[in-house]
């Protein structure tokens, strides 16, 4: 019947309104998501339309509703759809709409990235970017931090995490409290369809003068396997309320007390014998969940580089050394394995590593540079001393001008 009507009115095709299909939320949808197709026809003088929906190459009408909803959407619902309308009780009809293709995937996945980098110094800007793999329409996003205890890991929603559909969470000036491991999640539709939690992305912020320090013994960031390693959180009050946490690529977020080969006494974590999977970032966490002083520690055989654990102060010297390991023993440092950078500046901040032609290269270590407090004081003192010299002359000049103006005002005509 539909084919016959199209044939009868073929001479007047240009006068027919064309049906249009809209999709909510998107053409690319996910299994178990709610999807709605809507057919609209802008036909002058027509008060009511009878709608017909077709799928793929079938001539059978599968729905006569203006809006057809799949709830939930399944793999069998994927395909090409178009709609057509005929006037109820009249002779007019519409053109077929353009076909739209609905594709389906398994559970939506959120993907999290960090820009410009995950290692930061206090005051640096950083942006967390959350995206949904293969889809970009209609999503709102939430951000979480991972928090570890001795027997559990859980997601903690950021208090200001609802940032709308942009997918970016921006911190204009990073603070020590922003150190942590982040994940994101997206949702859309009503009822809300939620993605999986994203991959984890750590953000590490080093401070100029942190309230707590992570003391490492031996005092370096790179270590050989099979050696003991001690990590202690120390603050000015010698409090033991701090705990050592770590994040590794292989095992994620962990508490020191839950590690094999390790034990925590007070604020000190002791690893009895290091292995390569101990490579990761270690930091101090308070009872309230504040994170301080992240340090990237690597465990590797053959070649390591000795680099400072704490930030280097501007104006100081920086010494980097290479160590070599063979058959379970440390080899005495050969010549020319030491590099000294005199008068360090902020431009020297970055990742460093050393390389040997036969034994390979060491891991990379982040060298953080902090502004010298003494230089700041000198700058302030210099400014004050300059003002003390300038101000008397400035005051005398103003008084002379004032006196001159007064004399002119008292001079008779």
């Amino acid at each position: 019947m539909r084919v016959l009507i199209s044939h009868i009115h073929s001479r007047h095709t240009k006068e027919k309104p064309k049906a249009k299909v809209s999709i909510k939320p998107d053409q690319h949808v996910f299994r178990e998501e709610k999807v709605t197709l809507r057919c609209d026809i802008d036909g002058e003088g027509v008060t009511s339309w009878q709608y017909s929906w077709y799928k793929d190459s079938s001539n059978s009408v599968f729905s006569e509703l203006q809006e057809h909803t799949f709830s939930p959407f399944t793999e069998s619902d994927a395909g090409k759809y178009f709609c057509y309308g005929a006037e109820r009780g009249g002779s007019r009809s519409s053109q077929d709409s353009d076909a739209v293709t609905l594709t389906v995937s398994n559970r939506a996945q959120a993907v999290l990235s960090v820009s410009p980098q995950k290692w930061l110094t206090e005051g640096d800007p950083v942006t967390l970017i959350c995206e949904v793999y293969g889809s970009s329409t209609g999503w709102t996003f939430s951000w979480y931090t991972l928090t570890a205890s001795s027997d559990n890991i859980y997601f903690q929603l950021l208090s200001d995490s609802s940032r709308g559909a942009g997918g970016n969470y921006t911190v204009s000036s990073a603070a020590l409290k922003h150190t942590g491991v982040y994940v994101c999640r997206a949702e859309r539709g009503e009822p809300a369809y939620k993605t999986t939690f994203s991959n984890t992305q750590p953000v590490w912020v080093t401070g100029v003068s942190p309230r707590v320090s992570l003391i490492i013994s031996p005092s370096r960031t790179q270590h050989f396997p099979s050696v003991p390693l001690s990590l202690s959180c120390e603050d000015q009050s010698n409090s033991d309320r701090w705990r050592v946490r770590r994040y590794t690529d292989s095992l994620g977020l962990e508490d020191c007390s839950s590690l094999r080969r390790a034990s925590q006494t007070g604020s000190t974590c002791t690893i009895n014998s290091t292995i390569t999977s101990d490579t990761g970032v270690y930091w101090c966490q308070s009872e309230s969940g504040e994170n301080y002083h992240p340090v990237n520690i690597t465990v590797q055989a053959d070649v390591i580089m000795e680099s400072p654990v704490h930030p280097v102060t501007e104006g100081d010297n920086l010494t980097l050394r290479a160590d070599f390991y063979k058959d379970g023993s440390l080899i005495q440092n050969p010549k020319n394995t030491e590099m000294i950078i005199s008068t360090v500046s902020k431009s020297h901040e970055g990742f460093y590593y050393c390389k040997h032609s036969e034994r390979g290269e060491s891991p990379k270590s982040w060298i953080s540079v902090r502004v010298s407090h003494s230089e700041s004081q000198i700058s302030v003192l210099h400014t004050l001393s300059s003002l003390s010299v300038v101000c008397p002359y400035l005051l005398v000049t103003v008084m002379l001008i004032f006196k001159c103006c007064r004399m002119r005002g008292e001079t008779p005509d």
Side-chain angles (χ1 to χ4, degrees), residues 1-7 52 54 59 61 82-84 96:
M1 183 68 181
R2 175 177 169 275
V3 176
L4 180 60
I5 292 174
S6 296
H7 178 71
S52 299
Y54 300 87
N59 285 323
V61 176
F82 65 94
C83 67
Y84 161 86
D96 295 343

Side-chain angles (χ1 to χ4, degrees), residues 106-122:
N106 288 327
R107 188 70 181 271
Q109 295 180 348
V111 180
L112 181 62
S113 58
V114 176
S115 177
Q117 62 182 12
K118 60 185 180 183
W119 278 99
L120 306 165
T121 303
E122 277 185 294

Side-chain angles (χ1 to χ4, degrees), residues 86-339:
E87 185 180 15
R88 294 180 187 272
S91 60
R92 296 187 64 185
S93 63
S94 73
Q95 298 181 57
D96 295 343
S97 70
D98 293 330
V100 294
T101 301
L102 294 182
T103 59
V104 62
S105 298
N106 288 327
R107 188 70 181 271
Q109 295 180 348
V111 180
L112 181 62
S113 58
V114 176
S115 177
Q117 62 182 12
K118 60 185 180 183
W119 278 99
L120 306 165
T121 303
E122 277 185 294
D124 290 347
V126 65
T127 299
L128 300 175
I129 304 166
C130 192
E131 299 173 292
V132 179
Y133 183 76
S135 178
S136 60
T137 302
W139 299 100
T140 57
F141 300 87
S142 297
W143 282 264
Y144 304 77
T145 55
L146 266 64
T147 301
S149 62
S150 58
D151 57 356
N152 193 23
I153 295 176
Y154 56 93
F155 299 111
Q156 183 174 350
L157 180 68
L158 298 182
S159 59
D160 59 345
S161 73
S162 182
R163 299 297 181 96
N168 289 353
Y169 181 92
T170 298
V171 177
S172 58
S173 180
L176 296 177
K177 67 179 182 180
H178 293 116
T179 284
V181 181
Y182 293 81
V183 296
C184 69
R185 197 177 195 182
E187 63 179 64
R188 70 180 179 185
E190 184 63 43
Y193 172 83
K194 296 182 178 181
T195 68
T196 58
F197 283 102
S198 71
N199 54 302
T200 56
Q201 279 289 359
V203 173
W204 313 118
V205 184
T206 56
V208 176
S209 55
R211 58 184 291 191
V212 61
S213 295
L214 181 62
I215 308 301
I216 300 173
S217 180
S219 184
R220 57 175 181 260
T221 58
Q222 298 183 14
H223 302 266
F224 290 119
S226 304
V227 297
L229 179 63
S230 173
L231 306 103
S232 299
C233 296
E234 296 185 2
D235 62 13
Q236 294 179 352
S237 63
N238 295 319
S239 170
D240 64 354
R241 67 188 184 93
W242 301 96
R243 293 295 179 266
V244 176
R245 302 285 190 264
R246 81 172 186 182
Y247 177 83
T248 62
D249 290 335
S250 57
L251 297 174
L253 185 65
E254 295 176 296
D255 180 72
C256 175
S257 60
S258 65
L259 303 179
R260 295 180 181 180
R261 303 170 293 100
S263 60
Q264 176 136 355
T265 304
S267 293
T268 299
C269 173
T270 302
I271 299 176
N272 300 322
S273 180
T274 56
I275 58 177
T276 54
S277 61
D278 288 323
T279 294
V281 177
Y282 295 71
W283 68 95
C284 299
Q285 188 176 80
S286 69
E287 293 173 344
S288 60
E290 297 171 303
N291 298 320
Y292 290 95
H293 204 164
V295 176
N296 188 35
I297 293 177
T298 53
V299 180
Q300 176 178 291
D302 295 332
V303 184
I304 66 170
M305 183 184 68
E306 291 189 29
S307 58
V309 174
H310 304 288
V312 184
T313 303
E314 276 189 319
D316 289 351
N317 294 337
L318 170 63
T319 301
L320 304 173
R321 294 187 187 88
D323 288 338
F324 301 90
Y325 205 63
K326 182 179 184 294
D327 298 332
S329 300
L330 177 65
I331 304 172
Q332 182 64 32
N333 285 351
K335 294 181 179 179
N336 299 324
T337 59
E338 184 175 273
M339 183 180 75

